[in-house]
Amino acid sequence: MQSPQGGRIILDGKEVVNMASNNYLGLANDPALVRAAQSAIEQYGVGPGAGRGIAGNFPAHNELERELAAFKAAEATLAFNSGLTANYGLIPTLAGKGDTVYSDELNHASIIDGIRLSRSEVKVFRHLDMNSLEEQLRQPASGKKLVITDGVFSMDGDLAPLPDMVQLCRRYAARLMVDDAHGDGVMGRGGRGTVEHFGLVGQVDVESGSLSKALGAVGGFVAGPAELVEQTRSQARSFIFTSSPLPPAFAAAALAAVRILAASDERVKKLWANREYFMGRLKELGFNTGSSKTPIIPVYAHDEEAARQLSLRLYEAGVYSQAMTFPIVPRGQARLRVIVSAAHTREDLDLTVAALAKVGRAMKLI
Ligand SMILES: Cc1ncc(COP(=O)(O)O)c(C=O)c1O
């Protein structure tokens, strides 16, 4: 890649429409984020020196955590160097040996690994299936109960049925954790996330998220009650045992992103207008886009080689979108993952639709 992230990118020397990144709001190369990172580097340098508990927090960390908490309507947040390590740190703080964790079968790998690190017993329920979750919750279980789900599922673009999950968790005295890595900046009022989208603010016990997707920077975070966030700060091994915490420049960039989102919902509206337009055109053409309800749109090829061919032929036609194959998705469910962004122009979307129509027809996908 020889350009910044954007609606179009230069890939292997060729300009292509970029339908592959999680840069949902086009913030990854926004001048406000670039300036914030540059001035933090000038003021504080590049390397954090050691973990934040040892070398100290920079002002940008504290400001980011405060303003992100206000944006998410949470008591507190704690920033990590990635969404992946936020899950590695949070889940073992919430549950341990002797406890039981209930996990959607399509939850992200970092949730699966976080549960392994917690040494809890794990019960996997069928994707989005509340009967399956209830069946599991009804069985006798040891210790504390914790239900974990993605808010927006990263390969299918569908949504966790959070209102039903909140009810079930109440009925069976379980806590609920939502990983909203693909929901923050995308779902809910002004991009406040999937929990806000469902009107459930204050009813989910804790959230994890990413600063590297819609927020356009690098990093991850945990958002929830102050006491739990403090407990995570003092117990999370992925927070404590690293001298690579979120660098001050990226805390500053993420802070600039939070400020942009808190001030205006313009980008989120543009994202959704693009998504609705693009999805409408794909539906007209007759593509199988599964159960997507978000800017993540799977275009199913099923066969792995067909998915790879689809991606290659699209690149030749001027569009970059990645094939998702095993082990990222289950066998037999290979697909192209097409991601719409606020950074796309109508022309970008039309070019993508035309390329998909041409290649899809040639490959007999429509
Ligand atoms: C649902 C989910 N959780 C967590 C992560 C990890 O976040 P990050 O990319 O910030 O490490 C991802 C992304 O890859 C994700 O899709």
Side-chain angles (χ1 to χ4, degrees):
M1 180 138 149
Q2 294 106 3
S3 67
Q5 283 291 346
R8 295 205 180 198
I9 51 174
I10 311 286
L11 202 59
D12 288 340
K14 174 175 169 168
E15 187 186 88
V16 286
V17 179
N18 180 14
M19 304 300 291
S21 101
N22 300 132
N23 181 24
Y24 296 109
L25 299 176
L27 287 171
N29 189 36
D30 185 273
L33 273 72
V34 173
R35 273 198 308 274
Q38 280 171 337
S39 80
I41 284 177
E42 274 157 26
Q43 216 174 343
Y44 304 116
V46 178
R52 288 168 54 190
I54 292 172
N57 296 312
F58 288 92
H61 289 125
N62 297 334
E63 283 172 57
L64 169 65
E65 285 168 354
R66 211 170 37 239
E67 295 191 29
L68 187 56
F71 181 70
K72 290 288 293 174
E75 276 179 21
T77 66
L78 180 67
F80 284 72
N81 58 5
S82 74
L84 181 130
T85 53
N87 282 337
Y88 287 2
L90 175 62
I91 297 169
T93 307
L94 292 168
K97 209 168 172 169
D99 294 330
T100 310
V101 178
Y102 303 81
S103 178
D104 186 292
E105 65 183 334
L106 293 190
N107 273 347
H108 188 256
S110 58
I111 295 177
I112 296 168
D113 294 348
I115 297 170
R116 286 184 184 138
L117 287 170
S118 78
R119 298 193 289 165
S120 308
E121 190 183 334
V122 61
K123 298 196 177 199
V124 176
F125 58 92
R126 283 194 298 276
H127 182 50
L128 308 185
D129 185 338
M130 293 300 96
N131 291 329
S132 169
L133 173 59
E134 182 159 19
E135 218 168 87
Q136 310 256 20
L137 282 166
R138 216 184 281 127
Q139 312 287 329
S142 66
K144 290 177 291 180
K145 296 177 185 172
L146 171 68
V147 176
I148 309 182
T149 185
D150 286 17
V152 174
F153 285 83
S154 55
M155 292 297 137
D156 296 80
D158 48 6
L159 295 175
L162 292 184
D164 294 339
M165 294 184 107
V166 166
Q167 292 303 327
L168 281 179
C169 286
R170 277 201 197 126
R171 193 171 313 146
Y172 292 94
R175 288 208 277 184
L176 177 60
M177 169 187 155
V178 175
D179 171 346
D180 215 13
H182 291 274
D184 287 315
V186 172
M187 299 299 302
R189 186 173 54 92
R192 284 163 176 79
T194 310
V195 171
E196 209 282 341
H197 165 80
F198 283 115
L200 294 170
V201 172
Q203 297 184 58
V204 163
D205 294 281
V206 65
E207 288 186 50
S208 60
S210 175
L211 302 171
S212 315
K213 301 182 194 292
L215 277 92
V218 169
F221 67 93
V222 165
E227 199 180 321
L228 174 58
V229 170
E230 278 319 299
Q231 196 190 346
T232 308
R233 189 193 298 276
S234 61
Q235 288 182 16
R237 292 165 73 84
S238 59
F239 184 81
I240 300 166
F241 293 102
T242 179
S243 51
S244 309
L246 181 66
F250 290 105
L255 174 62
V258 171
R259 287 180 175 164
I260 288 172
L261 285 185
S264 161
D265 63 0
E266 200 181 309
R267 283 170 187 267
V268 180
K269 283 196 169 139
K270 169 97 189 290
L271 168 66
W272 280 95
N274 278 353
R275 189 269 176 197
E276 294 307 306
Y277 173 75
F278 185 76
M279 190 61 154
R281 303 273 327 260
L282 287 199
K283 286 238 159 95
E284 273 164 30
L285 287 168
F287 278 106
N288 175 2
T289 55
S291 49
S292 164
K293 294 193 172 53
T294 67
I296 300 174
I297 303 175
V299 171
Y300 280 93
H302 298 292
D303 177 70
E304 310 237 317
E305 190 45 37
R308 276 191 284 270
Q309 276 302 320
L310 185 56
S311 174
L312 286 174
R313 292 201 206 175
L314 276 182
Y315 177 78
E316 283 158 17
V319 176
Y320 177 56
S321 176
Q322 266 293 6
M324 298 291 156
T325 54
F326 182 81
I328 301 175
V329 296
R331 282 198 200 282
Q333 292 188 27
R335 70 198 72 168
L336 202 68
R337 183 175 65 159
V338 186
I339 302 178
V340 179
S341 164
H344 292 128
T345 61
R346 201 41 78 84
E347 199 191 346
D348 295 336
L349 299 177
D350 286 340
L351 197 151
T352 305
V353 169
L356 268 168
K358 185 167 153 233
V359 178
R361 278 190 196 111
M363 292 181 64
K364 301 202 174 1
L365 292 174
I366 47 174

